[in-house]
Amino acid sequence: MGLFGFGKKKGDSGDGGKSTANGAGGDNGKSTATASGGFTPDPRKARAWFDRAHQVADTNFDYAIDAFIKGLKFEPNNIKEWETLYEVGMRRLVSGGKPAGTLESMKSGGKTVIEKLAHAAKLWAMDPRNAARAMTVFERIADMYVAADETDLGEIGLWVGEKTMELNSGKKASKAVLVKAIALFKDMHLYSQGVEACRRALAITPDDANLIQEIRDMEALKTMVDSGMRGKEGDAMKGVKNLDEQRALDEEDQSRHDEAGHERLIARARKAFEVKPDDLDLLLKFVRTLEGKASDESEEEAMKVLKDAYDRTGQYRFKMDVGNVRIRQFNRYARMYRDALKDNPGDETLKKGLEKVKQEQLVFELKEFEERTREYPTEMKLRYELGKRLVMVRRFEDAVAMFQDAQANQSIRARCKEALGVCYIHMDWIDAAITTLKEGLEVYQGPQDDDLPMTMRYLLMDALERNAKKLKSVENAEEALKVASMLLQTNIRYRDIRERVNALNALIKELQDGGEAAA
Protein backbone atom coordinates (compact mmCIF):
# COMPACT_ATOMS: atom_id res chain seq x y z
CA MET A 1 0.00 0.00 0.00
CA GLY A 2 1.14 3.57 -0.55
CA LEU A 3 1.87 6.00 2.21
CA PHE A 4 -0.87 5.48 4.84
CA GLY A 5 -3.17 4.20 2.06
CA PHE A 6 -4.05 7.73 0.95
CA GLY A 7 -7.49 7.79 -0.58
CA LYS A 8 -8.35 4.29 0.97
CA LYS A 9 -6.56 1.67 0.95
CA LYS A 10 31.01 -23.70 11.18
CA GLY A 11 36.90 -26.96 10.84
CA ASP A 12 39.92 -28.75 11.48
CA SER A 13 42.35 -26.93 13.81
CA GLY A 14 45.68 -25.51 12.72
CA ASP A 15 48.78 -25.60 14.88
CA GLY A 16 47.29 -23.10 17.28
CA GLY A 17 49.93 -20.41 16.74
CA LYS A 18 48.45 -17.07 17.61
CA SER A 19 51.21 -14.43 17.44
CA THR A 20 49.86 -11.04 16.56
CA ALA A 21 50.67 -9.41 13.27
CA ASN A 22 52.06 -5.90 13.13
CA GLY A 23 49.37 -3.37 13.73
CA ALA A 24 46.83 -6.02 14.61
CA GLY A 25 44.10 -5.06 16.98
CA GLY A 26 44.15 -1.41 16.03
CA ASP A 27 41.17 0.46 14.70
CA ASN A 28 42.51 0.59 11.16
CA GLY A 29 40.83 -2.53 9.87
CA LYS A 30 43.77 -4.89 10.52
CA SER A 31 42.67 -8.11 12.15
CA THR A 32 44.48 -10.06 14.85
CA ALA A 33 46.11 -12.66 12.60
CA THR A 34 49.35 -14.50 11.91
CA ALA A 35 51.04 -14.83 8.59
CA SER A 36 50.52 -18.59 8.70
CA GLY A 37 46.80 -18.07 8.88
CA GLY A 38 45.88 -18.14 12.57
CA PHE A 39 43.09 -15.74 13.45
CA THR A 40 41.41 -14.32 16.54
CA PRO A 41 38.04 -12.62 16.09
CA ASP A 42 37.24 -9.27 17.70
CA PRO A 43 33.49 -8.54 17.45
CA ARG A 44 33.82 -5.23 19.32
CA LYS A 45 36.17 -3.73 16.72
CA ALA A 46 34.11 -5.29 13.97
CA ARG A 47 30.99 -3.60 15.28
CA ALA A 48 32.59 -0.16 15.11
CA TRP A 49 33.30 -0.68 11.40
CA PHE A 50 29.92 -2.22 10.70
CA ASP A 51 28.19 0.75 12.33
CA ARG A 52 30.16 3.14 10.11
CA ALA A 53 29.22 1.08 7.08
CA HIS A 54 25.50 1.15 7.89
CA GLN A 55 25.58 4.92 8.40
CA VAL A 56 26.67 5.52 4.80
CA ALA A 57 25.28 2.41 3.11
CA ASP A 58 22.70 4.43 1.20
CA THR A 59 24.81 7.45 0.32
CA ASN A 60 28.44 6.36 -0.20
CA PHE A 61 28.60 2.83 -1.55
CA ASP A 62 32.40 2.66 -1.92
CA TYR A 63 33.12 3.82 1.62
CA ALA A 64 30.43 1.50 2.98
CA ILE A 65 32.00 -1.47 1.18
CA ASP A 66 35.44 -0.57 2.58
CA ALA A 67 33.99 -0.31 6.10
CA PHE A 68 32.15 -3.62 5.80
CA ILE A 69 35.38 -5.30 4.61
CA LYS A 70 37.34 -3.88 7.57
CA GLY A 71 34.64 -5.17 9.90
CA LEU A 72 34.66 -8.62 8.34
CA LYS A 73 38.43 -8.82 8.96
CA PHE A 74 37.57 -8.86 12.66
CA GLU A 75 34.36 -10.90 12.44
CA PRO A 76 34.22 -12.88 9.18
CA ASN A 77 31.44 -15.16 10.40
CA ASN A 78 28.81 -12.43 10.71
CA ILE A 79 26.26 -13.61 8.16
CA LYS A 80 24.03 -10.56 8.53
CA GLU A 81 26.85 -8.19 7.55
CA TRP A 82 27.83 -10.39 4.60
CA GLU A 83 24.27 -10.20 3.34
CA THR A 84 24.15 -6.43 3.79
CA LEU A 85 27.51 -6.03 2.03
CA TYR A 86 26.09 -7.93 -0.94
CA GLU A 87 22.99 -5.73 -0.99
CA VAL A 88 25.14 -2.58 -0.96
CA GLY A 89 27.19 -4.00 -3.81
CA MET A 90 24.02 -4.60 -5.82
CA ARG A 91 22.78 -1.06 -5.19
CA ARG A 92 26.18 0.28 -6.25
CA LEU A 93 25.97 -1.76 -9.44
CA VAL A 94 22.48 -0.52 -10.26
CA SER A 95 23.59 3.07 -9.71
CA GLY A 96 26.41 2.68 -12.26
CA GLY A 97 29.27 1.50 -10.03
CA LYS A 98 32.10 -0.18 -11.90
CA PRO A 99 34.05 -3.37 -11.03
CA ALA A 100 37.51 -3.03 -9.50
CA GLY A 101 40.27 -2.01 -11.90
CA THR A 102 42.95 -4.33 -13.20
CA LEU A 103 45.60 -3.24 -10.68
CA GLU A 104 43.25 -3.72 -7.73
CA SER A 105 42.15 -7.09 -9.07
CA MET A 106 45.73 -8.32 -9.43
CA LYS A 107 46.57 -7.73 -5.77
CA SER A 108 46.63 -10.74 -3.44
CA GLY A 109 45.15 -8.75 -0.57
CA GLY A 110 47.81 -9.76 1.98
CA LYS A 111 49.69 -12.70 3.48
CA THR A 112 47.12 -14.09 5.92
CA VAL A 113 44.01 -16.03 5.06
CA ILE A 114 41.75 -13.36 6.54
CA GLU A 115 43.41 -10.61 4.48
CA LYS A 116 43.03 -12.68 1.32
CA LEU A 117 39.41 -13.39 2.15
CA ALA A 118 38.69 -9.70 2.79
CA HIS A 119 40.29 -8.67 -0.51
CA ALA A 120 38.28 -11.25 -2.43
CA ALA A 121 35.11 -10.09 -0.70
CA LYS A 122 35.78 -6.49 -1.73
CA LEU A 123 36.30 -7.43 -5.37
CA TRP A 124 33.04 -9.41 -5.31
CA ALA A 125 31.12 -6.57 -3.66
CA MET A 126 32.27 -4.29 -6.49
CA ASP A 127 31.07 -6.83 -9.07
CA PRO A 128 28.31 -8.77 -7.26
CA ARG A 129 26.91 -10.57 -10.31
CA ASN A 130 30.29 -12.08 -11.18
CA ALA A 131 30.24 -15.82 -10.38
CA ALA A 132 34.04 -16.02 -10.66
CA ARG A 133 34.42 -13.36 -7.95
CA ALA A 134 31.96 -15.24 -5.74
CA MET A 135 33.88 -18.47 -6.33
CA THR A 136 37.13 -16.82 -5.20
CA VAL A 137 35.43 -15.76 -1.97
CA PHE A 138 34.14 -19.33 -1.54
CA GLU A 139 37.72 -20.65 -1.98
CA ARG A 140 39.12 -18.19 0.59
CA ILE A 141 36.40 -19.17 3.07
CA ALA A 142 37.26 -22.84 2.62
CA ASP A 143 40.95 -21.99 3.17
CA MET A 144 40.11 -20.16 6.36
CA TYR A 145 37.75 -22.91 7.48
CA VAL A 146 40.82 -25.13 7.80
CA ALA A 147 43.26 -22.45 9.05
CA ALA A 148 41.18 -20.55 11.63
CA ASP A 149 40.74 -22.12 15.06
CA GLU A 150 38.48 -19.51 16.58
CA THR A 151 35.93 -18.87 13.88
CA ASP A 152 33.22 -21.09 12.48
CA LEU A 153 32.71 -20.19 8.84
CA GLY A 154 30.32 -23.01 7.99
CA GLU A 155 27.28 -20.75 7.68
CA ILE A 156 29.18 -18.23 5.56
CA GLY A 157 30.52 -20.98 3.32
CA LEU A 158 27.00 -22.27 2.87
CA TRP A 159 25.67 -18.82 1.96
CA VAL A 160 28.50 -17.90 -0.42
CA GLY A 161 28.47 -21.36 -2.01
CA GLU A 162 24.75 -21.16 -2.71
CA LYS A 163 25.14 -17.61 -3.99
CA THR A 164 27.91 -18.79 -6.31
CA MET A 165 25.66 -21.49 -7.77
CA GLU A 166 22.85 -18.97 -8.11
CA LEU A 167 25.09 -16.66 -10.12
CA ASN A 168 26.33 -19.62 -12.18
CA SER A 169 22.96 -20.72 -13.48
CA GLY A 170 20.92 -20.60 -16.64
CA LYS A 171 21.97 -21.44 -20.17
CA LYS A 172 25.54 -20.18 -19.64
CA ALA A 173 26.17 -22.15 -16.42
CA SER A 174 29.81 -23.26 -16.19
CA LYS A 175 30.48 -26.90 -15.35
CA ALA A 176 33.99 -25.92 -14.15
CA VAL A 177 32.48 -23.61 -11.52
CA LEU A 178 30.15 -26.35 -10.33
CA VAL A 179 32.95 -28.94 -10.13
CA LYS A 180 34.99 -26.52 -8.04
CA ALA A 181 31.96 -25.85 -5.84
CA ILE A 182 31.49 -29.60 -5.30
CA ALA A 183 35.06 -29.88 -3.97
CA LEU A 184 34.64 -26.86 -1.68
CA PHE A 185 31.31 -28.04 -0.27
CA LYS A 186 32.97 -31.39 0.40
CA ASP A 187 35.97 -29.74 2.10
CA MET A 188 33.59 -27.83 4.37
CA HIS A 189 31.43 -30.91 5.02
CA LEU A 190 28.38 -29.22 3.47
CA TYR A 191 27.19 -32.43 1.85
CA SER A 192 23.61 -31.45 1.01
CA GLN A 193 24.84 -28.51 -1.03
CA GLY A 194 27.53 -30.72 -2.56
CA VAL A 195 24.84 -33.09 -3.77
CA GLU A 196 22.95 -30.18 -5.32
CA ALA A 197 26.09 -28.95 -7.07
CA CYS A 198 26.60 -32.47 -8.45
CA ARG A 199 23.07 -32.54 -9.79
CA ARG A 200 23.53 -29.22 -11.55
CA ALA A 201 26.81 -30.35 -13.09
CA LEU A 202 25.20 -33.61 -14.25
CA ALA A 203 22.46 -31.61 -15.92
CA ILE A 204 25.17 -30.19 -18.18
CA THR A 205 26.99 -33.49 -18.84
CA PRO A 206 24.70 -36.38 -17.79
CA ASP A 207 27.15 -39.10 -18.85
CA ASP A 208 30.12 -37.89 -16.78
CA ALA A 209 31.18 -41.04 -14.88
CA ASN A 210 33.28 -39.05 -12.38
CA LEU A 211 30.30 -36.87 -11.46
CA ILE A 212 28.03 -39.91 -11.15
CA GLN A 213 30.46 -41.48 -8.69
CA GLU A 214 30.90 -38.14 -6.89
CA ILE A 215 27.20 -37.71 -6.28
CA ARG A 216 26.96 -41.28 -4.94
CA ASP A 217 29.85 -40.58 -2.54
CA MET A 218 28.37 -37.25 -1.48
CA GLU A 219 24.93 -38.73 -0.87
CA ALA A 220 26.53 -41.45 1.25
CA LEU A 221 28.40 -38.86 3.31
CA LYS A 222 25.22 -36.84 3.74
CA THR A 223 23.33 -39.94 4.93
CA MET A 224 26.08 -40.77 7.44
CA VAL A 225 26.02 -37.25 8.87
CA ASP A 226 22.25 -37.18 9.00
CA SER A 227 22.24 -40.44 10.93
CA GLY A 228 25.09 -39.38 13.29
CA MET A 229 27.54 -41.95 11.88
CA ARG A 230 30.25 -39.51 10.75
CA GLY A 231 31.92 -36.61 12.51
CA LYS A 232 33.79 -33.75 10.95
CA GLU A 233 37.05 -35.72 11.22
CA GLY A 234 35.44 -38.50 9.17
CA ASP A 235 35.64 -41.26 11.81
CA ALA A 236 32.80 -43.74 11.50
CA MET A 237 30.52 -44.08 14.51
CA LYS A 238 32.20 -41.05 16.15
CA GLY A 239 28.99 -39.11 15.86
CA VAL A 240 28.50 -35.58 14.69
CA LYS A 241 30.92 -33.13 16.26
CA ASN A 242 29.08 -30.54 18.29
CA LEU A 243 25.98 -32.74 18.37
CA ASP A 244 24.58 -30.78 21.30
CA GLU A 245 24.84 -27.60 19.24
CA GLN A 246 23.04 -29.25 16.35
CA ARG A 247 20.27 -30.44 18.61
CA ALA A 248 19.99 -26.89 19.95
CA LEU A 249 19.59 -25.57 16.42
CA ASP A 250 16.99 -28.22 15.63
CA GLU A 251 15.11 -27.32 18.79
CA GLU A 252 15.26 -23.66 17.86
CA ASP A 253 13.70 -24.52 14.51
CA GLN A 254 11.06 -26.93 15.75
CA SER A 255 10.06 -25.37 19.10
CA ARG A 256 9.91 -21.75 18.06
CA HIS A 257 6.30 -21.34 19.09
CA ASP A 258 6.32 -23.77 22.03
CA GLU A 259 6.38 -22.24 25.52
CA ALA A 260 8.72 -24.87 27.04
CA GLY A 261 10.92 -24.67 23.95
CA HIS A 262 11.21 -20.92 24.36
CA GLU A 263 12.19 -21.24 27.99
CA ARG A 264 14.94 -23.74 27.10
CA LEU A 265 16.24 -21.49 24.35
CA ILE A 266 16.24 -18.48 26.67
CA ALA A 267 17.99 -20.40 29.46
CA ARG A 268 20.66 -21.64 27.05
CA ALA A 269 21.22 -18.19 25.55
CA ARG A 270 21.30 -16.56 29.01
CA LYS A 271 23.92 -19.05 30.25
CA ALA A 272 26.16 -18.45 27.23
CA PHE A 273 25.82 -14.67 27.60
CA GLU A 274 26.58 -14.74 31.34
CA VAL A 275 29.81 -16.66 30.64
CA LYS A 276 30.91 -14.06 28.05
CA PRO A 277 28.99 -10.82 28.82
CA ASP A 278 31.22 -8.77 26.50
CA ASP A 279 30.47 -10.96 23.49
CA LEU A 280 28.04 -8.86 21.49
CA ASP A 281 26.94 -11.75 19.30
CA LEU A 282 25.90 -13.74 22.39
CA LEU A 283 24.19 -10.66 23.75
CA LEU A 284 22.17 -10.17 20.59
CA LYS A 285 21.26 -13.86 20.41
CA PHE A 286 20.06 -13.69 24.02
CA VAL A 287 17.97 -10.65 23.18
CA ARG A 288 16.47 -12.36 20.12
CA THR A 289 15.42 -15.39 22.14
CA LEU A 290 13.79 -13.10 24.71
CA GLU A 291 11.97 -11.23 21.97
CA GLY A 292 10.87 -14.49 20.39
CA LYS A 293 8.80 -15.34 23.44
CA ALA A 294 6.80 -12.16 22.82
CA SER A 295 5.73 -11.57 26.41
CA ASP A 296 5.90 -8.40 28.47
CA GLU A 297 8.31 -10.05 30.92
CA SER A 298 10.73 -11.31 28.28
CA GLU A 299 10.64 -8.04 26.33
CA GLU A 300 11.31 -5.99 29.44
CA GLU A 301 14.35 -8.18 30.16
CA ALA A 302 15.50 -7.76 26.56
CA MET A 303 15.24 -3.98 26.85
CA LYS A 304 17.18 -4.02 30.14
CA VAL A 305 19.99 -6.08 28.56
CA LEU A 306 20.14 -3.70 25.61
CA LYS A 307 20.06 -0.60 27.81
CA ASP A 308 22.91 -2.00 29.94
CA ALA A 309 24.88 -2.63 26.74
CA TYR A 310 24.26 0.94 25.63
CA ASP A 311 25.34 2.35 29.00
CA ARG A 312 28.47 0.17 28.94
CA THR A 313 29.57 0.71 25.34
CA GLY A 314 27.98 4.00 24.34
CA GLN A 315 26.92 2.43 21.03
CA TYR A 316 23.65 4.02 20.01
CA ARG A 317 22.57 0.92 18.06
CA PHE A 318 21.71 -0.72 21.40
CA LYS A 319 19.50 2.19 22.40
CA MET A 320 17.86 1.98 19.01
CA ASP A 321 17.23 -1.73 19.57
CA VAL A 322 15.50 -0.84 22.85
CA GLY A 323 13.15 1.31 20.82
CA ASN A 324 12.57 -1.47 18.31
CA VAL A 325 11.52 -3.83 21.09
CA ARG A 326 9.14 -1.20 22.43
CA ILE A 327 7.63 -0.68 18.98
CA ARG A 328 7.06 -4.43 18.65
CA GLN A 329 5.28 -4.32 21.99
CA PHE A 330 2.95 -1.62 20.73
CA ASN A 331 2.30 -3.61 17.56
CA ARG A 332 1.43 -6.69 19.62
CA TYR A 333 -0.94 -4.76 21.84
CA ALA A 334 -2.69 -3.26 18.82
CA ARG A 335 -2.97 -6.67 17.17
CA MET A 336 -4.56 -8.09 20.33
CA TYR A 337 -7.16 -5.35 20.32
CA ARG A 338 -7.91 -5.83 16.61
CA ASP A 339 -8.28 -9.58 17.05
CA ALA A 340 -10.67 -9.00 19.94
CA LEU A 341 -12.69 -6.53 17.86
CA LYS A 342 -13.19 -9.13 15.15
CA ASP A 343 -15.25 -11.11 17.65
CA ASN A 344 -16.80 -8.04 19.33
CA PRO A 345 -17.01 -5.36 16.62
CA GLY A 346 -19.30 -3.12 18.65
CA ASP A 347 -17.29 -3.09 21.87
CA GLU A 348 -16.53 0.58 22.55
CA THR A 349 -14.05 -0.24 25.31
CA LEU A 350 -11.98 -2.25 22.86
CA LYS A 351 -12.17 0.52 20.26
CA LYS A 352 -10.99 3.11 22.77
CA GLY A 353 -8.22 0.77 23.92
CA LEU A 354 -6.99 0.33 20.36
CA GLU A 355 -7.02 4.05 19.69
CA LYS A 356 -5.11 4.72 22.92
CA VAL A 357 -2.41 2.20 21.99
CA LYS A 358 -2.10 3.65 18.49
CA GLN A 359 -1.81 7.18 19.85
CA GLU A 360 0.79 6.21 22.45
CA GLN A 361 2.75 4.37 19.76
CA LEU A 362 2.68 7.39 17.46
CA VAL A 363 3.93 9.72 20.21
CA PHE A 364 6.72 7.24 21.07
CA GLU A 365 7.77 6.65 17.45
CA LEU A 366 7.80 10.35 16.62
CA LYS A 367 10.21 11.06 19.49
CA GLU A 368 12.22 7.91 18.68
CA PHE A 369 12.77 8.73 15.01
CA GLU A 370 13.56 12.37 15.75
CA GLU A 371 16.40 11.12 17.98
CA ARG A 372 17.56 8.56 15.42
CA THR A 373 17.86 11.18 12.70
CA ARG A 374 20.01 13.30 15.03
CA GLU A 375 22.27 10.33 15.79
CA TYR A 376 22.53 9.22 12.15
CA PRO A 377 22.11 12.43 10.14
CA THR A 378 23.22 10.85 6.84
CA GLU A 379 20.85 7.87 7.06
CA MET A 380 18.11 8.94 4.69
CA LYS A 381 15.81 6.00 5.41
CA LEU A 382 15.45 7.27 8.97
CA ARG A 383 14.39 10.66 7.62
CA TYR A 384 11.79 8.93 5.48
CA GLU A 385 10.44 7.06 8.52
CA LEU A 386 10.33 10.26 10.55
CA GLY A 387 8.51 11.96 7.71
CA LYS A 388 5.78 9.30 7.75
CA ARG A 389 5.17 9.93 11.46
CA LEU A 390 5.09 13.70 10.89
CA VAL A 391 2.37 13.21 8.28
CA MET A 392 0.35 11.24 10.79
CA VAL A 393 0.37 14.21 13.17
CA ARG A 394 -0.33 16.55 10.24
CA ARG A 395 3.00 18.39 10.45
CA PHE A 396 3.15 18.47 6.68
CA GLU A 397 5.83 21.13 6.15
CA ASP A 398 8.20 19.34 8.55
CA ALA A 399 7.41 16.08 6.74
CA VAL A 400 8.16 17.68 3.37
CA ALA A 401 11.64 18.64 4.59
CA MET A 402 12.30 15.04 5.64
CA PHE A 403 11.08 13.54 2.37
CA GLN A 404 13.00 16.09 0.29
CA ASP A 405 16.21 15.09 2.10
CA ALA A 406 15.44 11.36 1.98
CA GLN A 407 14.94 11.29 -1.80
CA ALA A 408 18.75 11.56 -2.10
CA ASN A 409 18.63 7.81 -1.41
CA GLN A 410 17.97 6.27 -4.80
CA SER A 411 16.46 3.10 -3.35
CA ILE A 412 13.56 5.04 -1.77
CA ARG A 413 13.36 8.00 -4.14
CA ALA A 414 10.07 6.95 -5.70
CA ARG A 415 8.49 6.39 -2.27
CA CYS A 416 9.66 9.85 -1.21
CA LYS A 417 8.00 11.33 -4.30
CA GLU A 418 4.77 9.57 -3.38
CA ALA A 419 5.00 10.86 0.19
CA LEU A 420 5.68 14.39 -1.02
CA GLY A 421 2.64 14.13 -3.27
CA VAL A 422 0.50 13.24 -0.25
CA CYS A 423 1.85 16.23 1.68
CA TYR A 424 1.38 18.67 -1.19
CA ILE A 425 -2.22 17.58 -1.72
CA HIS A 426 -2.99 18.05 1.97
CA MET A 427 -1.35 21.48 1.82
CA ASP A 428 -3.32 22.31 -1.33
CA TRP A 429 -0.10 22.73 -3.33
CA ILE A 430 -1.68 20.95 -6.27
CA ASP A 431 0.77 21.98 -9.00
CA ALA A 432 3.69 20.78 -6.87
CA ALA A 433 1.86 17.53 -6.21
CA ILE A 434 1.27 16.91 -9.93
CA THR A 435 4.89 17.63 -10.86
CA THR A 436 6.30 15.52 -8.01
CA LEU A 437 4.06 12.52 -8.66
CA LYS A 438 4.96 12.52 -12.35
CA GLU A 439 8.63 12.57 -11.33
CA GLY A 440 7.97 9.64 -9.00
CA LEU A 441 6.46 7.59 -11.81
CA GLU A 442 9.48 8.39 -13.99
CA VAL A 443 12.08 7.29 -11.40
CA TYR A 444 10.16 4.17 -10.30
CA GLN A 445 11.76 0.93 -11.50
CA GLY A 446 9.67 -2.18 -11.14
CA PRO A 447 6.39 -3.81 -12.23
CA GLN A 448 3.78 -1.28 -13.13
CA ASP A 449 1.01 -3.24 -11.43
CA ASP A 450 2.77 -3.05 -8.03
CA ASP A 451 1.20 -1.00 -5.29
CA LEU A 452 3.56 2.00 -5.42
CA PRO A 453 3.01 3.09 -9.05
CA MET A 454 -0.70 2.34 -8.70
CA THR A 455 -0.86 4.58 -5.63
CA MET A 456 1.09 7.37 -7.33
CA ARG A 457 -1.25 7.26 -10.33
CA TYR A 458 -4.26 7.39 -8.05
CA LEU A 459 -2.79 10.42 -6.26
CA LEU A 460 -1.94 12.04 -9.58
CA MET A 461 -5.48 11.48 -10.83
CA ASP A 462 -6.83 13.02 -7.65
CA ALA A 463 -4.55 16.07 -7.92
CA LEU A 464 -5.44 16.61 -11.58
CA GLU A 465 -9.15 16.37 -10.78
CA ARG A 466 -8.75 18.93 -8.01
CA ASN A 467 -7.00 21.29 -10.40
CA ALA A 468 -9.66 20.74 -13.03
CA LYS A 469 -12.37 21.78 -10.61
CA LYS A 470 -10.38 24.68 -9.21
CA LEU A 471 -9.31 26.08 -12.56
CA LYS A 472 -12.33 24.80 -14.51
CA SER A 473 -9.77 23.15 -16.80
CA VAL A 474 -10.99 20.56 -19.30
CA GLU A 475 -7.34 19.75 -20.06
CA ASN A 476 -6.65 18.77 -16.45
CA ALA A 477 -9.87 16.75 -16.28
CA GLU A 478 -9.02 14.88 -19.48
CA GLU A 479 -5.51 14.15 -18.20
CA ALA A 480 -7.01 12.90 -14.93
CA LEU A 481 -9.37 10.63 -16.91
CA LYS A 482 -6.41 9.27 -18.91
CA VAL A 483 -4.60 8.33 -15.69
CA ALA A 484 -7.80 6.85 -14.24
CA SER A 485 -8.32 4.78 -17.38
CA MET A 486 -4.80 3.32 -17.00
CA LEU A 487 -5.68 2.27 -13.46
CA LEU A 488 -8.98 0.80 -14.59
CA GLN A 489 -7.32 -1.22 -17.37
CA THR A 490 -4.70 -2.53 -14.91
CA ASN A 491 -7.12 -3.47 -12.13
CA ILE A 492 -10.81 -2.74 -12.43
CA ARG A 493 -11.29 -3.50 -8.72
CA TYR A 494 -8.66 -0.98 -7.61
CA ARG A 495 -10.17 1.16 -4.87
CA ASP A 496 -13.11 3.16 -6.23
CA ILE A 497 -11.65 3.55 -9.72
CA ARG A 498 -14.86 2.74 -11.62
CA GLU A 499 -16.74 5.44 -9.77
CA ARG A 500 -13.87 7.90 -10.30
CA VAL A 501 -13.84 7.25 -14.04
CA ASN A 502 -17.57 7.92 -14.23
CA ALA A 503 -17.19 11.07 -12.15
CA LEU A 504 -14.39 12.35 -14.39
CA ASN A 505 -16.42 11.74 -17.52
CA ALA A 506 -19.24 13.75 -15.97
CA LEU A 507 -16.81 16.51 -14.94
CA ILE A 508 -15.43 16.79 -18.46
CA LYS A 509 -18.93 17.08 -19.92
CA GLU A 510 -19.87 19.66 -17.31
CA LEU A 511 -16.78 21.75 -18.02
CA GLN A 512 -17.26 21.47 -21.76
CA ASP A 513 -20.92 22.49 -21.52
CA GLY A 514 -20.00 25.37 -19.29
CA GLY A 515 -17.36 26.55 -21.70
CA GLU A 516 -19.78 26.42 -24.60
CA ALA A 517 -22.38 28.35 -22.65
CA ALA A 518 -19.86 31.00 -21.77
CA ALA A 519 -18.89 31.27 -25.40
Side-chain angles (χ1 to χ4, degrees), residues 203-492:
I204 299 174
T205 53
D207 298 326
D208 190 319
N210 291 328
L211 282 173
I212 293 171
Q213 185 60 49
E214 187 69 71
I215 194 169
R216 289 173 180 167
D217 293 344
M218 199 80 74
E219 287 176 333
L221 289 167
K222 177 181 180 297
T223 300
M224 293 172 72
V225 169
D226 291 345
S227 63
M229 293 175 62
R230 180 182 177 92
K232 184 168 183 177
E233 293 79 6
D235 297 330
M237 302 306 293
K238 195 166 186 176
V240 179
K241 187 180 181 181
N242 297 323
L243 183 58
D244 289 340
E245 292 181 16
Q246 186 59 50
R247 285 173 176 165
L249 290 172
D250 291 342
E251 184 174 74
E252 189 167 351
D253 262 349
Q254 297 168 14
S255 304
R256 193 173 301 277
H257 302 293
D258 173 72
E259 183 72 19
H262 272 306
E263 291 300 335
R264 289 192 295 271
L265 292 173
I266 290 171
R268 192 157 49 233
R270 180 185 284 113
K271 181 178 179 180
F273 170 61
E274 288 174 348
V275 171
K276 293 183 178 181
D278 292 328
D279 189 318
L280 300 185
D281 280 342
L282 291 177
L283 182 151
L284 293 174
K285 184 172 183 179
F286 180 34
V287 167
R288 285 195 296 269
T289 58
L290 289 168
E291 292 175 321
K293 188 178 179 181
S295 70
D296 287 345
E297 181 183 7
S298 64
E299 286 167 340
E300 291 297 330
E301 184 176 2
M303 287 189 284
K304 183 182 184 305
V305 171
L306 289 166
K307 186 179 183 302
D308 289 346
Y310 171 66
D311 293 340
R312 186 172 71 253
T313 67
Q315 293 185 28
Y316 183 74
R317 62 185 292 258
F318 292 115
K319 190 173 188 298
M320 192 159 65
D321 283 344
V322 172
N324 290 336
V325 176
R326 185 70 177 124
I327 290 170
R328 280 192 286 273
Q329 275 191 327
F330 279 122
N331 288 336
R332 191 176 76 255
Y333 297 156
R335 186 168 59 250
M336 290 167 63
Y337 273 111
R338 282 193 291 268
D339 289 345
L341 280 167
K342 289 179 182 178
D343 298 326
N344 304 277
D347 192 316
E348 293 299 322
T349 300
L350 291 176
K351 290 179 182 179
K352 290 179 180 179
L354 176 58
E355 287 305 312
K356 182 180 179 181
V357 168
K358 290 166 63 177
Q359 185 60 33
E360 289 177 350
Q361 180 172 3
L362 179 56
V363 171
F364 175 82
E365 290 188 9
L366 188 59
K367 182 179 178 181
E368 181 75 10
F369 281 96
E370 285 175 339
E371 181 180 272
R372 293 183 186 187
T373 57
R374 290 194 299 268
E375 291 290 330
Y376 298 120
T378 62
E379 178 50 77
M380 295 299 107
K381 288 183 179 179
L382 291 176
R383 291 180 178 268
Y384 174 75
E385 293 298 328
L386 174 57
K388 291 198 298 184
R389 276 77 180 174
L390 290 167
V391 169
M392 294 171 74
V393 295
R394 305 188 68 81
R395 289 169 53 185
F396 296 116
E397 290 194 23
D398 292 335
V400 165
M402 292 297 107
F403 295 135
Q404 287 177 339
D405 290 344
Q407 65 184 333
N409 182 330
Q410 186 176 7
S411 68
I412 57 172
R413 186 169 298 161
R415 292 202 173 275
C416 289
K417 296 290 187 183
E418 175 214 17
L420 285 167
V422 171
C423 293
Y424 293 148
I425 290 173
H426 278 295
M427 298 164 72
D428 202 30
W429 295 1
I430 305 304
D431 288 335
I434 292 170
T435 300
T436 302
L437 291 164
K438 287 181 178 179
E439 291 172 350
L441 288 165
E442 289 177 1
V443 302
Y444 172 77
Q445 296 179 340
Q448 292 301 307
D449 59 348
D450 273 8
D451 186 73
L452 181 56
M454 296 284 282
T455 301
M456 284 193 287
R457 289 193 181 94
Y458 190 93
L459 289 166
L460 177 58
M461 172 202 70
D462 187 83
L464 288 165
E465 183 181 17
R466 290 168 185 254
N467 240 13
K469 292 177 179 178
K470 179 180 179 180
L471 304 176
K472 299 189 182 302
S473 166
V474 174
E475 182 181 355
N476 275 275
E478 289 176 339
E479 187 176 358
L481 179 60
K482 183 178 179 180
V483 176
S485 296
M486 291 177 63
L487 289 168
L488 186 71
Q489 293 169 43
T490 303
N491 185 356
I492 196 171

Side-chain angles (χ1 to χ4, degrees), residues 177-217:
V177 170
L178 290 167
V179 169
K180 191 176 292 186
I182 292 167
L184 295 173
F185 282 129
K186 192 174 183 178
D187 288 345
M188 298 188 70
H189 309 276
L190 299 169
Y191 301 125
S192 294
Q193 290 69 35
V195 168
E196 177 60 27
C198 286
R199 287 172 179 164
R200 295 191 184 200
L202 281 168
I204 299 174
T205 53
D207 298 326
D208 190 319
N210 291 328
L211 282 173
I212 293 171
Q213 185 60 49
E214 187 69 71
I215 194 169
R216 289 173 180 167
D217 293 344

